[in-house]
Amino acid sequence: MLFGKLLPREGNFFELLNQHGAYIVDAARAFIELIHNYADPVSREKYAGEVVHAERAADRITAEVHRLL
């Protein structure tokens, strides 16, 4: 019961953390592809962009969690 008093009343933190984890997985997969295709400049740029996109999306979720806390 004491633990429940520590949790904020608004926001679905578990959903936000699940989304954050999904972006981490997306970034890791894109990074692996980037490494495997590093010699090809077109593929390298594509996968680097995917890593950046996932990182920025995860950063937005982090900011939202901080705001809610």
Side-chain angles (χ1 to χ4, degrees), residues 4 11-12 14-16 19 22-24 26 28 36 38-39 41 44 50 56 58 60 67:
N12 186 349
F14 295 111
E15 178 61 30
L16 290 171
Q19 289 174 6
Y23 285 124
I24 291 170
D26 291 345
H36 287 302
Y38 197 78
R44 183 174 60 220
E50 289 179 14
R56 288 183 179 159
R60 285 191 295 274
R67 186 191 70 76

Side-chain angles (χ1 to χ4, degrees), residues 5-54:
K5 292 180 180 182
L6 297 174
L7 292 175
R9 300 283 183 239
E10 65 178 79
N12 186 349
F13 289 97
F14 295 111
E15 178 61 30
L16 290 171
L17 294 175
N18 282 338
Q19 289 174 6
H20 193 272
Y23 285 124
I24 291 170
V25 170
D26 291 345
R29 287 184 177 147
F31 185 70
I32 289 169
E33 289 300 321
L34 184 147
I35 291 169
H36 287 302
N37 296 288
Y38 197 78
D40 178 20
V42 174
S43 292
R44 183 174 60 220
E45 189 67 29
K46 173 188 171 202
Y47 293 119
E50 289 179 14
V51 169
V52 169
H53 173 75

